[in-house]
Amino acid sequence: MIERYDRGDYTISTDPDRLDVCAVHRYLSASYWADGFPFALVERSLRHSLSFGLYASEGQVGLARVITDETTFAYLCDVYVLPEHRGRGLGRWMIECVMGSPRLRGLRRWLLVTRNAQGLYQPMGSGPLSNPAGVMEIVRPDIYRTGEPRDRPETGSDG
Ligand SMILES: CC(C)(COP(=O)(O)OP(=O)(O)OC[C@H]1O[C@@H](n2cnc3c(N)ncnc32)[C@H](O)[C@@H]1OP(=O)(O)O)[C@@H](O)C(=O)NCCC(=O)NCCS
């Protein structure tokens, strides 16, 4: 089921065929959280996610990507609005569409990570981890630049 929401000159759509992978890659590969994200991985991540694209007359101008089983859990990531379209409520509208999506109703847990955009998510009921000590993570901030160790050429037996 493809969702579509319209507001003035803007549209939000979950149609995967409408996503402009080049535009998404251009933004994400220069962002602070996905710096260097290779094109092929952007394409793959979109293919396996529920993505809410934001569109204006000139094309795609924003994104909110949801990694989810559509049953119990969702991780909201890669949220952006291009600079020239910010400050018009579009970011909040995207989050409202995500949270109101029929495919994402009744989930037990949502997770999102942000450096400084807490103000965008707080009205949706999000807050700091209730039990930080019980949440563990594996983080590889440089992985898009360095790749998995197995992808790198051999450097010798002691490398
Ligand atoms: C964050 C972002 C998506 C917001 O888009 P936007 O369309 O300008 O947002 P809105 O106009 O809907 O603003 C909604 C609220 O979000 C908050 N907000 C917006 N941008 C913010 C930012 N950079 N930092 C903190 N809060 C922000 C504000 O509280 C704002 O509320 P207000 O109306 O009371 O001022 C946009 O600034 C962006 O793309 N930033 C760069 C990418 C980024 O940081 N993404 C978030 C990663 S978690």
Side-chain angles (χ1 to χ4, degrees), residues 1 3 6 9 14 16 18 24 27 31 36-37 41-42 46 48 51-52 62 92 98 107 128 140-141 152 158:
M1 180 191 57
E3 295 166 54
D6 293 294
D9 297 333
T14 60
R18 194 166 172 182
V24 173
Y27 185 84
S31 69
F37 204 13
L41 296 192
V42 172
L46 292 172
H48 295 289
S51 295
F52 291 70
R92 188 156 288 165
V98 168
L107 303 185
R140 299 165 177 154
R152 290 203 294 268
D158 58 348

Coordinates of all heavy atoms in Angstrom, one line a residue, residues 1 3 6 9 14 16 18 24 27 31 36-37 41-42 46 48 51-52 62 92 98 107 128 140-141 152 158:
M1 N 0.8 -1.2 0.0 CA 0.0 0.0 0.0 C 0.9 1.3 0.0 O 1.7 1.4 0.9 CB -0.9 0.0 1.3 CG -1.8 1.2 1.3 SD -2.6 1.4 2.9 CE -1.2 1.5 4.0
E3 N 1.3 5.2 0.4 CA 0.7 6.3 1.1 C 1.1 7.6 0.4 O 2.2 7.7 -0.1 CB 1.1 6.4 2.5 CG 0.6 5.2 3.4 CD 1.3 5.2 4.7 OE1 1.3 6.2 5.4 OE2 1.9 4.1 5.0
D6 N -0.7 15.3 0.7 CA -0.4 16.5 0.0 C -0.7 17.7 0.9 O -1.6 17.7 1.8 CB -1.4 16.7 -1.2 CG -1.1 15.6 -2.3 OD1 0.0 15.7 -2.8 OD2 -1.9 14.7 -2.5
D9 N 2.2 23.0 -2.1 CA 3.1 22.5 -3.3 C 3.8 21.2 -3.0 O 4.6 20.8 -3.8 CB 4.1 23.6 -3.6 CG 3.4 24.9 -4.1 OD1 2.2 24.8 -4.6 OD2 3.9 26.0 -3.9
T14 N 5.2 7.3 0.0 CA 6.0 6.1 0.3 C 6.2 5.2 -0.9 O 6.7 4.1 -0.8 CB 5.2 5.2 1.4 OG1 4.0 4.8 0.9 CG2 5.1 6.0 2.7
P16 N 8.2 3.6 -3.4 CA 9.6 3.4 -3.6 C 10.2 3.8 -5.0 O 11.3 4.2 -5.1 CB 9.8 1.9 -3.3 CG 8.5 1.3 -3.3 CD 7.5 2.3 -3.2
R18 N 9.3 6.3 -6.7 CA 9.4 7.7 -6.8 C 10.7 8.3 -6.2 O 11.1 9.4 -6.5 CB 8.2 8.4 -6.2 CG 8.1 9.8 -6.6 CD 6.7 10.3 -6.3 NE 6.7 11.8 -6.5 CZ 5.7 12.6 -6.3 NH1 4.6 12.1 -5.8 NH2 5.8 13.9 -6.5
V24 N 19.0 11.6 -2.9 CA 19.2 11.1 -1.5 C 20.7 10.9 -1.2 O 21.2 11.3 -0.2 CB 18.4 9.8 -1.3 CG1 18.7 9.3 0.1 CG2 16.9 10.1 -1.4
Y27 N 22.6 14.2 -0.7 CA 22.5 14.7 0.6 C 23.2 13.9 1.7 O 24.0 14.4 2.5 CB 21.0 14.9 1.0 CG 20.9 15.7 2.3 CD1 21.0 17.0 2.4 CD2 20.9 14.9 3.5 CE1 21.0 17.7 3.6 CE2 20.9 15.6 4.8 CZ 21.0 17.0 4.8 OH 21.0 17.6 6.0
S31 N 26.3 14.3 4.8 CA 25.7 14.6 6.1 C 26.6 14.2 7.2 O 27.5 13.4 7.0 CB 24.4 13.9 6.2 OG 24.6 12.5 6.3
G36 N 30.1 10.1 3.4 CA 30.8 9.1 2.6 C 29.9 7.9 2.2 O 30.4 6.9 1.6
F37 N 28.6 7.9 2.6 CA 27.7 6.7 2.3 C 27.8 6.4 0.8 O 27.3 7.2 0.0 CB 26.3 7.1 2.8 CG 25.4 6.0 3.1 CD1 25.8 4.7 3.3 CD2 24.0 6.3 3.3 CE1 24.9 3.7 3.6 CE2 23.1 5.3 3.6 CZ 23.6 4.0 3.8
L41 N 25.1 1.6 -1.5 CA 24.5 1.3 -0.1 C 23.3 2.1 0.1 O 22.3 1.7 0.8 CB 25.5 1.5 1.0 CG 26.8 0.5 0.9 CD1 27.6 0.6 2.2 CD2 26.4 -0.9 0.7
V42 N 23.3 3.4 -0.4 CA 22.1 4.2 -0.3 C 20.9 3.5 -1.0 O 19.8 3.3 -0.4 CB 22.3 5.6 -0.9 CG1 21.0 6.4 -0.9 CG2 23.3 6.4 -0.1
L46 N 17.5 2.0 0.8 CA 16.1 2.4 0.5 C 15.3 1.3 0.0 O 14.1 1.2 0.4 CB 16.2 3.5 -0.6 CG 16.9 4.8 -0.3 CD1 17.1 5.7 -1.5 CD2 16.0 5.6 0.8
H48 N 15.3 -1.7 1.1 CA 14.9 -2.5 2.2 C 14.2 -1.8 3.4 O 14.1 -2.3 4.5 CB 16.1 -3.3 2.7 CG 16.6 -4.3 1.7 ND1 15.9 -5.4 1.3 CD2 17.7 -4.2 0.9 CE1 16.6 -6.0 0.4 NE2 17.7 -5.3 0.1
S51 N 10.3 4.2 3.2 CA 10.8 5.5 3.0 C 9.7 6.5 2.7 O 8.8 6.2 1.9 CB 11.9 5.6 1.9 OG 13.0 4.9 2.3
F52 N 9.7 7.6 3.4 CA 8.8 8.7 3.2 C 9.5 9.8 2.4 O 10.3 10.5 3.1 CB 8.2 9.2 4.5 CG 7.3 8.2 5.2 CD1 7.8 7.1 5.7 CD2 5.9 8.4 5.2 CE1 7.0 6.1 6.4 CE2 5.1 7.5 5.8 CZ 5.6 6.3 6.4
G62 N 13.4 16.0 0.5 CA 13.5 15.5 1.8 C 13.2 14.0 1.9 O 12.8 13.4 1.0
R92 N 8.5 18.5 10.5 CA 7.4 18.0 11.5 C 6.3 17.2 10.8 O 5.8 16.2 11.2 CB 6.9 19.1 12.3 CG 6.0 18.7 13.4 CD 6.0 19.7 14.6 NE 7.2 19.8 15.3 CZ 7.5 20.7 16.1 NH1 6.7 21.7 16.3 NH2 8.6 20.7 16.8
V98 N 4.9 9.8 9.2 CA 5.6 8.5 9.6 C 4.8 7.9 10.8 O 4.4 6.8 10.8 CB 7.0 8.8 10.0 CG1 7.6 7.5 10.7 CG2 7.9 9.1 8.7
L107 N 3.2 -0.3 17.1 CA 4.5 -0.8 17.4 C 4.9 -0.6 18.9 O 4.5 0.3 19.5 CB 5.6 0.0 16.6 CG 5.4 0.0 15.1 CD1 6.6 0.7 14.4 CD2 5.2 -1.4 14.5
P128 N 14.4 10.6 26.1 CA 15.7 9.9 26.3 C 15.4 8.4 26.7 O 14.2 8.1 27.1 CB 16.3 10.6 27.5 CG 15.6 11.8 27.7 CD 14.2 11.7 27.1
R140 N 30.1 1.7 14.4 CA 31.3 1.7 13.5 C 31.2 3.0 12.7 O 30.8 3.0 11.5 CB 31.4 0.5 12.6 CG 31.5 -0.8 13.4 CD 31.2 -1.9 12.5 NE 31.3 -3.2 13.2 CZ 30.7 -4.3 12.8 NH1 29.8 -4.3 11.8 NH2 30.8 -5.4 13.4
P141 N 31.6 4.1 13.3 CA 31.3 5.4 12.6 C 32.1 5.6 11.3 O 31.6 6.3 10.4 CB 31.8 6.5 13.6 CG 32.6 5.7 14.7 CD 32.2 4.3 14.6
R152 N 38.6 -5.5 2.9 CA 39.8 -4.8 2.6 C 40.9 -5.8 2.1 O 40.9 -7.0 2.4 CB 40.4 -4.2 3.9 CG 39.5 -3.0 4.3 CD 40.3 -2.0 5.2 NE 40.6 -2.6 6.4 CZ 39.9 -2.5 7.5 NH1 38.8 -1.8 7.5 NH2 40.3 -3.0 8.7
D158 N 50.4 -10.4 9.8 CA 50.4 -9.7 11.1 C 49.6 -8.3 11.0 O 49.7 -7.5 11.8 CB 51.8 -9.4 11.6 CG 52.6 -8.6 10.6 OD1 52.2 -8.5 9.5 OD2 53.7 -8.1 11.0

